[in-house]
Amino acid sequence: MESIKNKIKEIKITEKELSILSLIEINSFNTNGYLPNKEEVFKEFNSATIDKNISACTLAFSPNYELNNDIKNYQFNNEITLILNDKKVGKITQATTFDNDKAYTNIFSANTCKLDKELNPCIAGKVEIFNNEFKKVKTTLNNKIKKNNAKKITALILNADPITRAHERMLRWTIDKADLVIIFVVEGYDTNSLNFQAKKECFEYYAKNFLPLERIFPVYLKNIDLFSPYLDPNYECLLASSFGANKLVIGQNHQGLGLFYDNNLAHTAIDELSKKTGLELIVLPEFVFCNKCNVMVSTKSCPHGAHHHIKYRSSMIREMLHSGLIPPTVLVRKEISAKLLAHLHPNRFKNVQMIYDGLFPSNGIIEKRSDEDLYKELITLYQTSYMI
Ligand SMILES: [Zn+2]
């Protein structure tokens, strides 16, 4: 009796783990709603040739060491309750355990470095999440697919960090060629990445004002850093396919999948997966602003060469925004820059109203102006050419 009493019946999980478990429950990674056992973890692995630049990544789930301490030598109950911030959020049934293999990263802690002592055993079993946010998203998406009678469904993974004119081009190109476009908005992976909420607000603003909403379906993947450049890109394909897409669009310079695909090193893995999931991959050329053509071009279609090309480099644009500079409007739409500057530099001005009223003529009605309003009007004024 004593030994039963001492069995692990619940484990604490993080928000990020909950997000990934929620995706696993709705079969986003081809495991039928199960966390794989040892044999399956490695079977899944062997099917892909892994590029030496990209860490092999498994679906092995090992309870978080910081939250659960060392539970290496414990027996586990066959039903384990999942706890997030003292709340029961789900369970794993038919649970079994196996030893953690430190040679491989897993998608639950892909970007963290683990020490030997911090390796709890992995748990396999059927995942059940009580209030699965992604399940609802998928139901809404399925309804939309049915309602629109959408046949050509394309997925696009967007790390709009921030959303640039090149992203806009990619989106429009994709929408033109599909009945419905599923846009997965993912977390940034750089140290100066934008906060997810700010990114989401910018994308929502852009979509609402500039895209045909009936032809797009955004999915916000908060807390999931599956899509960092050094990870196995197979999960992106599985995810897109599981949400009903039959095509996946990637930018040529999309780190992760693009790198994987372009280097030809592991071409076979992607081809194999593409065959298995029935997903067609479309690699778009890189878009740049050409100062000779004076317009956005693809590097393939412009003859002027790299010395005339301004690249849409997100890290550079973020650095400008973090420093308080307004990125050129050929790179980022003014409404987006205004939103992000206001978000990144709160309470910057002693008297924003005074600057606003001084610069911009009004019809006499005094309206309270925000930092965002000021940036937006300033950008318009900066674009005004001056002639005598
Ligand atoms: Zn050109």
Side-chain angles (χ1 to χ4, degrees):
M1 281 311 280
E2 200 55 28
S3 66
I4 292 169
K5 224 199 235 166
N6 286 332
K7 275 185 178 176
I8 300 279
K9 291 195 186 92
E10 55 179 52
I11 55 165
K12 291 176 184 152
I13 60 168
T14 62
E15 241 178 279
K16 185 171 138 185
E17 288 167 336
L18 177 64
S19 296
I20 298 173
L21 287 166
S22 299
L23 285 176
I24 290 177
E25 190 197 15
I26 58 168
N27 196 24
S28 300
F29 304 119
N30 211 14
T31 59
N32 294 319
Y34 280 80
L35 275 164
N37 62 30
K38 190 168 188 170
E39 289 72 39
E40 287 156 347
V41 159
F42 288 98
K43 200 167 75 195
E44 149 210 334
F45 228 132
N46 293 336
S47 69
T49 322
I50 302 297
D51 179 339
K52 62 179 184 318
N53 295 319
I54 298 167
S55 313
C57 190
T58 74
L59 283 170
F61 174 62
S62 148
N64 187 294
Y65 188 87
E66 282 78 32
L67 291 174
N68 297 286
N69 292 322
D70 188 344
I71 44 173
K72 245 189 307 242
N73 299 315
Y74 283 80
Q75 294 278 306
F76 285 69
N77 199 22
N78 54 17
E79 182 174 310
I80 300 166
T81 305
L82 304 168
I83 313 277
L84 172 69
N85 300 331
D86 300 325
K87 235 179 95 191
K88 290 181 182 174
V89 291
K91 61 186 176 186
I92 298 172
T93 54
Q94 307 161 38
T96 54
T97 59
F98 59 95
D99 282 345
N100 204 334
D101 189 329
K102 64 180 176 192
Y104 304 105
T105 49
N106 63 66
I107 71 170
F108 295 94
S109 57
N111 294 328
T112 44
C113 215
K114 278 184 257 95
L115 300 170
D116 273 7
K117 69 173 179 62
E118 296 177 354
L119 292 174
N120 277 325
C122 297
I123 303 176
K126 177 124 184 61
V127 179
E128 195 182 313
I129 302 298
F130 299 148
N131 190 15
N132 189 336
E133 189 196 326
F134 293 121
K135 200 186 254 173
K136 292 177 212 157
V137 170
K138 210 167 164 179
T139 308
T140 317
L141 170 64
N142 286 337
N143 290 339
K144 189 160 182 165
I145 292 174
K146 257 190 227 136
K147 196 171 146 241
N148 292 13
N149 194 22
K151 298 276 182 284
K152 287 188 270 178
I153 303 164
T154 306
L156 198 143
I157 291 167
L158 194 70
N159 175 19
D161 199 13
I163 182 160
T164 65
R165 300 275 187 182
H167 293 123
E168 294 187 18
R169 170 67 70 88
M170 253 175 101
L171 282 163
R172 288 187 200 281
W173 186 92
T174 311
I175 292 167
D176 274 339
K177 295 189 174 358
D179 298 331
L180 186 69
V181 179
I182 308 169
I183 303 159
F184 293 98
V185 180
V186 301
E187 290 266 10
Y189 39 75
D190 277 338
T191 43
N192 71 349
S193 278
L194 297 167
N195 156 298
F196 193 82
Q197 189 53 32
K199 190 150 115 172
K200 185 178 171 200
E201 276 170 31
C202 287
F203 180 77
E204 276 172 346
Y205 172 86
Y206 171 70
K208 197 172 150 220
N209 289 283
F210 303 103
L211 292 179
L213 290 178
E214 69 285 358
R215 305 195 54 192
I216 62 162
F217 190 90
V219 179
Y220 297 99
L221 296 178
K222 191 177 187 289
N223 290 320
I224 300 177
D225 54 7
L226 259 184
F227 308 102
S228 93
Y230 309 109
L231 287 182
D232 183 347
N234 291 335
Y235 294 115
E236 301 188 2
C237 300
L238 289 174
L239 181 76
S241 152
S242 80
F243 271 73
N246 32 47
K247 284 183 188 177
L248 176 64
V249 167
I250 51 171
Q252 196 184 58
N253 58 352
H254 168 72
Q255 290 156 311
L257 203 52
L259 181 83
F260 208 77
Y261 198 83
D262 273 0
N263 283 358
N264 275 336
L265 287 172
H267 213 133
T268 47
I270 292 287
D271 280 350
E272 207 177 279
L273 202 81
S274 168
K275 249 183 263 156
K276 206 161 71 182
T277 55
L279 195 69
E280 185 188 335
L281 288 174
I282 301 165
V283 185
L284 284 189
E286 187 183 1
F287 295 113
V288 293
F289 184 82
C290 172
N291 63 15
K292 274 282 230 193
C293 297
N294 206 24
V295 74
M296 188 197 296
V297 296
S298 73
T299 46
K300 251 185 175 173
S301 65
C302 158
H304 298 120
H307 57 294
H308 286 291
H309 292 165
I310 305 171
K311 292 192 172 193
Y312 291 82
R313 208 174 281 144
S314 298
S315 55
M316 180 270 294
I317 296 169
R318 280 199 304 276
E319 192 51 38
M320 288 188 80
L321 290 165
H322 280 292
S323 316
L325 289 174
I326 298 167
T329 49
V330 294
L331 299 184
V332 182
R333 195 175 274 278
K334 68 174 179 189
E335 295 89 345
I336 303 293
S337 296
K339 258 185 206 309
L340 290 173
L341 284 167
H343 162 77
L344 291 170
H345 306 278
N347 310 316
R348 186 183 201 183
F349 304 103
K350 274 201 191 104
N351 193 344
V352 67
Q353 193 75 31
M354 193 260 273
I355 307 175
Y356 195 96
D357 293 342
L359 279 174
F360 311 111
S362 80
N363 54 8
I365 303 162
I366 296 168
E367 277 179 76
K368 205 172 171 307
R369 295 300 176 173
S370 65
D371 291 13
E372 189 179 328
D373 295 328
L374 175 66
Y375 291 122
K376 217 163 28 187
E377 292 300 328
L378 256 186
I379 300 169
T380 313
L381 197 58
Y382 284 147
Q383 287 176 289
T384 313
S385 49
Y386 179 76
M387 276 195 265
I388 298 172

